[in-house]
Amino acid sequence: MSVLVVGSVAIDTVETPFGRAEQSIGGAALYFSVAASFFTKVRMVGVIGHDFPEPTLDDLRRRGIDLAGLERAEGKTFRWTGRYHEDMNVRDTLHLDLGVFGDFHPRLPEAYRDTQFVFLANIDPVLQSSVLDQLAAPGVIGCDSMNYWIQEKRPELEQLLMRVGILVINDEEAKMLSGEKNVVKAARRILEMGPKSVLVKRGEYGVIQFSGNSVFAVPAFPLEEVFDPTGAGDTFAGGFMGQIARSRDTSEGGIRKAIVYGSVMASFVVEDFSYRRLERLTADEIEQRYRQFVSLTNIEGI
Amino acid sequence: MSVLVVGSVAIDTVETPFGRAEQSIGGAALYFSVAASFFTKVRMVGVIGHDFPEPTLDDLRRRGIDLAGLERAEGKTFRWTGRYHEDMNVRDTLHLDLGVFGDFHPRLPEAYRDTQFVFLANIDPVLQSSVLDQLAAPGVIGCDSMNYWIQEKRPELEQLLMRVGILVINDEEAKMLSGEKNVVKAARRILEMGPKSVLVKRGEYGVIQFSGNSVFAVPAFPLEEVFDPTGAGDTFAGGFMGQIARSRDTSEGGIRKAIVYGSVMASFVVEDFSYRRLERLTADEIEQRYRQFVSLTNIEGI
């Protein structure tokens, strides 16, 4: 089954302690789509400007990513320039130009309306809701957000959350959204706001998932070098939703497996700038690292 | 098989956002011993002053903790007063009085010389080595340390590490000891210094263990409230070494199980001040939480 994603598509310039990559392709919807494309067909909803490279679009299409929902508008593509510190958990935004993304109003092609698996990457919750309004009867709805929307558009976000099944959010955002300092309490509070499942991303410490009667925690894959953390969270979401759409399994076991596939994809994407590592990634490598995750976490020690 | 521990025994005053406990019994050897006593007999090596309460000693003996190696010296017991911040990962030491611990020179009773399972809690590496010198042929040697010794007594610590099988250390200390910022590289470097296994404690994110050809990561148990984190690391070590001594299993699977038992014990001790939670803990509760850990980490979702 196809998975639909709506979110940013960007041209990034990123500096890490390992080097600098100019004009790399980025954005939440981009990372999500490339990761999900290893699992299922993808429908992308977003906006780019006249400056977005045509060869990248060809590449995305070759990956089975449907770009009918990717609007090309007059103006420049969203651009972000960031610099990571020696401690790569900290980054500064050096430059930000929303470009055509500033006026983005997602319009879904008619052919997208039947999509069952949907991921609302981090954009204005009003726009996220408008995407749901354009869908006939979405089955599984995943959603991300960020501190800015939690502070500036809380009522709109809370309305949206009542329609969302799976919230994918980071540690700090979960605490801000819930007003709780403890992650367990934060997740319990968020579960009362609508979602059936909350996935809390904890960066180098992995992911912890809360649902009605279950908690699941998986570490991040221990890497000797994190080259560029940009897009790790969106790549996680892409692997996660891609696997959910591929398996159509939303049981607790199905969600857990999907969380591991998401973690696998995230562990690859940070090994190089932009999504370069995914460009040369194989299905075998994904399965191999999935088995490494099983071994990493198995108490009996296989 | 008995497990021997050498380390501090203290009288603590602790303030957390949840309250204040005056003159609680603490110290690394104390937390370790009480935790390990749920798994096996314990031999404690340490020093207390004239002010240490006799009823506590009776209680420890009732738990199967052999106190022949606990010297009572002229003077006052080591005293520590600390205050935890709202973020309980941060604490201030308000008062510290080494008392009789300042002149501590571990002397092992003759009956301890045959001990096979040994844990050197965080004290001067010279004293840790002197304990090993007094043992006939220890089989499994675990060890902790801290930033102070890494900075002030590096050569002595490095000499000790060549004799240590399992190093139990926290994230920051592993990085300081190895000179590496990445935890995987740090652990690999430490494995070259002697230990066969390195357990890196990551507080609320759990433990990650590195050995020659294996990595194992387990999250901390997700608790809604951490009441008092004092002694969590030492309690972890006590559960870990206690299980190793009970099972005599140092295979990768045996070490992984022991790490989970250590995590179980740590998850209980933080639920109340001092080791009060362990005073009312049952073997059934330990097994039940062990099973919860299995479920928490199981990818297939049992």
Side-chain angles (χ1 to χ4, degrees), chain A residues 93-148:
Chain A
T93 289
L94 303 180
H95 180 75
L96 187 88
D97 181 357
L98 288 178
V100 295
F101 192 62
D103 293 316
F104 178 45
H105 289 280
R107 273 191 305 261
L108 269 55
E110 190 58 34
Y112 283 17
R113 297 181 66 88
D114 65 347
T115 318
Q116 284 299 302
F117 299 89
V118 182
F119 191 75
L120 310 168
N122 166 39
I123 53 172
D124 185 334
V126 174
L127 301 184
Q128 292 175 311
S129 284
S130 82
V131 168
L132 295 186
D133 294 339
Q134 297 174 59
L135 289 163
V140 179
I141 301 168
C143 177
D144 190 1
S145 192
M146 72 181 291
N147 44 14
Y148 181 80

Side-chain angles (χ1 to χ4, degrees), chain B residues 168-180:
Chain B
V168 181
I169 200 168
N170 75 31
D171 220 320
E172 187 198 335
E173 292 157 357
K175 289 172 183 171
M176 188 184 281
L177 177 58
S178 63
E180 296 283 356

Side-chain angles (χ1 to χ4, degrees), chain A residues 18 86 171 175 181-185 188 202 204-205 208 210 214-220 222-226 252-254 256-257 260 290 293-302, chain B residues 18 86 171 175 181-185 188 202 204-205 208 210 214-220 222-226 252-254 256-257 260 290 293-302:
Chain A
F18 295 98
E86 198 66 49
D171 218 320
K175 289 172 184 175
K181 279 168 203 143
N182 172 287
V183 69
V184 184
K185 283 188 183 169
R188 296 275 169 243
R202 306 199 279 184
E204 63 172 311
Y205 301 110
I208 184 161
F210 298 83
S214 172
V215 188
F216 174 56
V218 68
L223 292 168
E224 292 216 7
E225 252 161 33
V226 170
E252 178 62 24
R256 288 180 175 212
K257 269 191 198 175
V260 175
Y290 183 92
F293 262 95
V294 172
S295 154
L296 169 69
T297 58
N298 191 287
I299 291 174
E300 308 299 319
I302 25 174
Chain B
F18 295 98
E86 199 66 51
D171 220 320
K175 289 172 183 171
K181 280 169 202 140
N182 172 287
V183 69
V184 185
K185 283 188 183 169
R188 295 276 170 243
R202 306 198 279 184
E204 64 171 312
Y205 301 110
I208 184 161
F210 297 84
S214 171
V215 188
F216 173 56
V218 69
L223 292 167
E224 292 216 7
E225 252 163 33
V226 170
E252 178 63 23
R256 287 179 175 212
K257 269 192 196 174
V260 175
Y290 183 93
F293 262 95
V294 172
S295 152
L296 169 69
T297 58
N298 191 289
I299 292 175
E300 307 299 318
I302 22 174

Side-chain angles (χ1 to χ4, degrees), chain B residues 118-140:
Chain B
V118 181
F119 191 76
L120 311 169
N122 166 39
I123 54 172
D124 185 334
V126 174
L127 301 184
Q128 291 174 312
S129 285
S130 82
V131 168
L132 296 187
D133 294 339
Q134 296 174 61
L135 289 163
V140 179

